[in-house]
Amino acid sequence: GQKNISLIGGTFNGNAQDTTRAKGLVSLRSTDNITLSGVTFKNFCGTHGVIIDGAQGFTAQNCTFSDFKPFTGSAAAYTAQTNSNSYWSAEALHIDFVAPSGSSGGRSMKNITVSGCTFIGVPSGVGTHHVYEGLTADSVKIYNNQFTGCFYDACNASNFKNFAFFDNRAVNTPTLLRAENTRGVVHDNVLDNSSYAPGAKVMSSIYQFGRNRLELHTLSGIEISNRKTDGVIQLTNSTSLDVYHNTIKVRNYTGSAESRICGIHGYYQAVVKAHENTVSGASYRGIYVDTGKAVLTNNFIEKCLDSLYVSNSTGSSITGNTAVDSGNRAINGYRDASLVIARNQIQNTASGRGITVEECAGGTAITENTVLQCASFGIYTIDSQVQTISGNLIGNGQTHAITLNSASRVSTIENNTLFCNAGHDLYITGCSRAAAFASNRSDQNAVRVNAGSTLSARDDCSLHVHSFVPVKKVSATCTRAGYTEYRCRNCSCTYHADFTAFAKHNYAVTTVSSTYLQGGYSLHTCTTCGHSYKSHEVPKRTLENVSGFRNVSVSAASIRFTWDKVPDADGYVVYLYNKTAGKWERCNKTTGGSNVQTISGLKAGESYSLTARAYKTVSGKEVLSPGYTTYKTSTNPAQVKFSVASKSKGSVTYSWTKVSGATTYAVYYKPTASSSWTRVGTVGSDKNTFTKTGLNSGAGYFTVRAYKTYEGKTYGSAYSSKTLTVT
């Protein structure tokens, strides 16, 4: 329940010696505005180093978390001490919710920033593994941190929204990010694992995952899903997910326990947009989207078992991708509807097919693809309804160029170029049907239709023997694979082969300074393709809040007050708090940097809340300092009207009419007109009479003054204009 705490510099050293005792260092719960800056936290055992629960306003910058000691006691003892059963839940910096308890609904988090910190040899770096219904962490930024040798993961993010995870580097850490039910962006991170690290589990739902470089000696890739599973990044419950410009190199363990792991995996209703990624070495599939719409564009996939695989989708597209050295199938559609496979380049499937569609419904189209050097079929359909197979180039295959099997139905097969294939140009079997085979070019014109299958219309292929030679080598760019162009000596037919992966973006950096209207940032713009992104973002400039309020003069009807000047301010807007409406009301504006203001027309003896905000005019817009600093003051009470109530020998009694706001009344006396006033008595606000005794014979002068005490200050009325002389 504390607020406004800063820990700056120094070391918290747990000196953990007895490793059968779980031992942390700092715990701050249900806190507001907490800062950790330049602090070292070390030698803690078995549990979190720092616990920040239910924080609303938290910053950790340039801190170090290290020297974690594994718990050596029994599992039962660990659970009893930590209320947990696994080390992976022990984040060194635990940023968590306050769990619901009884009638209490718990406490969410917001405005969390962790930057420039170092995490060395801890189970998990930063975040929380807890998920509570109705509790969220809003506006969480984790950036520019270093994670080295973490046992399980760099960051845990659960129920985070407006989440940003960028410019982080994780070395020899199995998992970059583990998240569940989280919304945000992940970009420009590096994960570099030099040794095998199995079993990384990630549940996540990131809107954007881009420009990350992942070197994985692990069983995990990127996963995109609506439910928990294994993987490095799993994106869930989002309507659209953008996975772009990532480099994912998976060097999988090849032992008997190897999982079927993909480079990028999306499933269970996630809409996956994957473009311009490089994926290599996945033991199962390079990019795999299951039970969700896929838009796979311009990716480079090499040395994966299956390069691109889409299943149980409607309206998906696989276009402009390059698949090289696939172990089994380069492109596969399974139980899809309206699937488009177009303008892809495929070379060298070692033991399988180039393009396969299985049990696909109507609307499927396979057009303008290049399929080379397949060990099995170039294009293969199984029990599928295909609208068209057209404009494809299929060559150097070890079996048939195009095969229809198991009751496939294809409307048109036309304008394809088929050459140097060991089998037939078209092979129809298994009760399949094709409506037309027309306007194709081939070096053999070999078509076979087995019993039970039909080909309704056929034009013989235009016979032609190609003689291809390399004519041009095109270097890779940041948005396109490199290749060698081959051209036939005898005709104008060309194809691309010998592919190389995308080149890196060539970014030029422009620094944009922050102003009073917008934040500053570094703008990275690729000089080749124009792609751009921002980094090192800083907030827009703000004027300091006004402080140092004090009165210059006060009357019964006005207050003249001043304050400390704010650097760079053009002037100040003055506000008076309306108690009835419950809000600040703008009442005046100074110019020329003036820091003095008089507010008139006020009630006597009334307390007021005043403030001022600095302003600066920028491009015709008035920019104000962000906060209100309340200054509480009062007007003076009104003059007191008084008279002689009674008198006797040696004494006199005065009475007066009470005035609004007075807390005391003081009676003053002086024996002669030229004498100084002397206070002879004070009564509370509940009294309106005073008796002065011990008077000597002769003249005397009296007056009554009202006073108000407010916020530690006293305000007095003017001396009464009516001064009574008593004899």
Side-chain angles (χ1 to χ4, degrees):
Q2 302 302 308
K3 297 181 179 181
N4 306 321
I5 297 175
S6 296
L7 305 181
I8 302 174
T11 299
F12 285 79
N13 188 343
N15 293 307
Q17 303 296 327
D18 180 5
T19 57
T20 63
R21 177 189 173 198
K23 186 176 187 180
L25 300 172
V26 172
S27 177
L28 295 169
R29 300 175 185 265
S30 297
T31 54
D32 294 343
N33 301 326
I34 305 300
T35 298
L36 312 180
S37 179
V39 188
T40 295
F41 302 91
K42 66 180 184 178
N43 288 324
F44 52 102
C45 176
T47 187
H48 311 294
V50 175
I51 294 175
I52 306 292
D53 287 355
Q56 299 192 359
F58 170 74
T59 298
Q61 57 190 12
N62 303 325
C63 295
T64 299
F65 301 80
S66 66
D67 299 297
F68 175 85
K69 302 297 192 299
F71 187 81
T72 60
S74 67
Y78 182 79
T79 300
Q81 293 181 40
T82 65
N83 196 30
S84 180
N85 56 14
S86 61
Y87 280 161
W88 77 263
S89 64
E91 297 88 1
L93 175 55
H94 186 56
I95 303 169
D96 198 9
F97 314 98
V98 175
S101 177
S103 60
S104 172
R107 194 172 198 247
S108 292
M109 300 178 282
K110 66 180 179 181
N111 301 330
I112 309 295
T113 300
V114 179
S115 66
C117 294
T118 301
F119 301 83
I120 304 173
V122 297
S124 296
V126 59
T128 179
H129 55 282
H130 292 143
V131 178
Y132 299 108
E133 184 176 355
L135 297 182
T136 60
D138 190 2
S139 299
V140 179
K141 292 176 66 174
I142 298 176
Y143 66 96
N144 196 30
N145 300 285
Q146 175 81 26
F147 303 88
T148 302
C150 297
F151 307 162
Y152 298 99
D153 39 55
C155 177
N156 287 324
S158 298
N159 271 25
F160 286 10
K161 64 180 180 179
N162 299 318
F163 176 56
F165 185 81
F166 59 94
D167 289 338
N168 299 288
R169 180 179 179 87
V171 178
N172 293 337
T173 296
T175 304
L176 174 68
L177 174 66
R178 178 196 307 265
E180 182 174 353
N181 193 32
T182 289
R183 301 288 185 271
V185 296
V186 177
H187 61 86
D188 297 291
N189 302 286
V190 173
L191 174 61
D192 191 349
N193 289 337
S194 61
S195 59
Y196 169 61
K201 298 179 183 295
V202 176
M203 297 74 72
S204 179
S205 52
I206 310 301
Y207 282 149
Q208 295 184 9
F209 187 87
R211 300 190 305 269
N212 302 283
R213 183 176 69 81
L214 309 181
E215 290 273 356
L216 307 173
H217 292 248
T218 179
L219 295 182
S220 302
I222 296 180
E223 297 211 355
I224 306 162
S225 173
N226 277 353
R227 72 176 188 183
K228 303 177 184 179
T229 188
D230 294 349
V232 168
I233 298 296
Q234 173 186 310
L235 313 175
T236 69
N237 295 327
S238 297
T239 57
S240 181
L241 305 153
D242 198 1
V243 183
Y244 63 99
H245 294 181
N246 300 286
T247 299
I248 306 162
K249 295 183 179 179
V250 186
R251 297 185 176 93
N252 286 301
Y253 173 64
T254 57
S256 60
E258 181 176 1
S259 300
R260 301 196 305 172
I261 297 301
C262 310
I264 299 173
H265 190 184
Y267 57 113
Y268 288 94
Q269 306 306 321
V271 179
V272 181
K273 299 177 181 178
H275 56 99
E276 297 171 31
N277 301 284
T278 296
V279 181
S280 65
S283 63
Y284 188 37
R285 289 165 180 164
I287 300 179
Y288 178 28
V289 180
D290 182 17
T291 318
K293 183 177 178 179
V295 182
L296 310 182
T297 309
N298 296 344
N299 299 284
F300 184 89
I301 315 296
E302 64 176 350
K303 299 177 182 177
C304 298
L305 183 63
D306 295 338
S307 292
L308 300 120
Y309 198 109
V310 175
S311 63
N312 300 296
S313 75
T314 299
S316 291
S317 61
I318 305 173
T319 59
N321 302 282
T322 301
V324 181
D325 297 332
S326 304
N328 186 21
R329 286 170 285 192
I331 296 177
N332 199 102
Y334 177 67
R335 292 184 177 177
D336 300 308
S338 300
L339 174 64
V340 174
I341 302 173
R343 300 183 301 282
N344 300 285
Q345 302 180 111
I346 298 168
Q347 183 176 11
N348 191 24
T349 53
S351 62
R353 310 157 190 157
I355 297 174
T356 303
V357 290
E358 304 178 57
E359 301 180 30
C360 288
T364 297
I366 305 171
T367 61
E368 300 180 27
N369 301 282
T370 297
V371 183
L372 302 171
Q373 299 171 331
C374 291
S376 186
F377 313 108
I379 295 176
Y380 188 62
T381 71
I382 306 172
D383 192 17
S384 295
Q385 298 178 37
V386 180
Q387 184 67 31
T388 183
I389 300 174
S390 62
N392 302 284
L393 185 149
I394 306 171
N396 299 316
Q398 297 180 26
T399 58
H400 311 305
I402 301 171
T403 299
L404 314 184
N405 199 358
S406 301
S408 291
R409 303 288 184 267
V410 181
S411 296
T412 59
I413 304 171
E414 60 186 4
N415 298 321
N416 299 285
T417 298
L418 316 169
F419 66 93
C420 298
N421 296 293
H424 294 84
D425 295 328
L426 174 62
Y427 187 84
I428 306 177
T429 190
C431 300
S432 297
R433 297 178 183 178
F437 182 76
S439 302
N440 298 287
R441 174 178 287 190
S442 170
D443 56 1
Q444 59 177 337
N445 192 26
V447 175
R448 178 171 178 175
V449 181
N450 284 346
S453 299
T454 59
L455 176 58
S456 300
R458 172 189 172 184
D459 291 341
D460 286 340
C461 293
S462 174
L463 288 173
H464 179 77
V465 177
H466 293 288
S467 177
F468 287 103
V469 294
V471 294
K472 181 170 61 175
K473 190 172 184 65
V474 178
S475 299
T477 70
C478 45
T479 58
R480 180 196 64 210
Y483 58 88
T484 300
E485 182 176 305
Y486 289 82
R487 178 167 301 182
C488 178
R489 288 192 180 98
N490 303 322
C491 70
S492 61
C493 184
T494 62
Y495 69 85
H496 300 159
D498 309 326
F499 301 103
T500 58
F502 298 142
K504 293 182 178 179
H505 289 279
N506 183 25
Y507 288 111
V509 181
T510 303
T511 300
V512 178
S513 299
S514 63
T515 69
Y516 287 105
L517 297 179
Q518 66 176 24
Y521 53 87
S522 293
L523 179 65
H524 304 252
T525 304
C526 180
T527 57
T528 303
C529 69
H531 176 268
S532 64
Y533 71 94
K534 296 177 182 178
S535 70
H536 303 97
E537 297 184 50
V538 296
K540 63 183 178 182
R541 294 181 64 187
T542 57
L543 294 166
E544 295 177 10
N545 288 328
V546 179
S547 61
F549 290 101
R550 54 203 180 271
N551 286 340
V552 175
S553 61
V554 177
S555 72
S558 66
I559 298 171
R560 185 171 177 80
F561 69 116
T562 186
W563 52 85
D564 296 339
K565 288 191 173 184
V566 170
D568 210 25
D570 292 339
Y572 304 87
V573 178
V574 179
Y575 297 83
L576 178 66
Y577 191 76
N578 186 323
K579 298 176 184 178
T580 303
K583 63 180 182 179
W584 290 105
E585 293 182 344
R586 184 170 175 153
C587 61
N588 213 334
K589 180 178 179 179
T590 74
T591 58
S594 172
N595 63 331
V596 179
Q597 181 65 35
T598 300
I599 299 180
S600 303
L602 304 178
K603 295 180 179 180
E606 184 77 14
S607 57
Y608 290 95
S609 292
L610 309 172
T611 195
R613 296 171 73 186
Y615 76 86
K616 185 173 183 64
T617 303
V618 182
S619 299
K621 296 181 179 180
E622 182 184 82
V623 178
L624 294 167
S625 55
Y628 297 83
T629 301
T630 301
Y631 175 54
K632 295 182 178 181
T633 185
S634 176
T635 52
N636 290 334
Q639 285 183 335
V640 178
K641 296 179 180 179
F642 65 99
S643 60
V644 176
S646 63
K647 53 186 177 179
S648 61
K649 184 178 180 180
S651 71
V652 61
T653 298
Y654 293 92
S655 67
W656 55 87
T657 302
K658 293 181 179 181
V659 297
S660 176
T663 54
T664 58
Y665 296 94
V667 178
Y668 291 84
Y669 166 77
K670 59 182 179 180
T672 65
S674 61
S675 302
S676 298
W677 289 110
T678 300
R679 183 182 294 203
V680 294
T682 302
V683 297
S685 60
D686 57 332
K687 306 289 187 182
N688 68 334
T689 62
F690 177 80
T691 300
K692 169 62 177 169
T693 60
L695 292 173
N696 296 320
S697 177
Y701 299 83
F702 290 84
T703 190
V704 179
R705 195 179 185 195
Y707 288 94
K708 176 178 181 175
T709 300
Y710 178 66
E711 293 290 319
K713 296 179 181 179
T714 300
Y715 303 85
S717 67
Y719 288 97
S720 176
S721 59
K722 181 180 180 182
T723 302
L724 299 186
T725 301
V726 178
T727 300

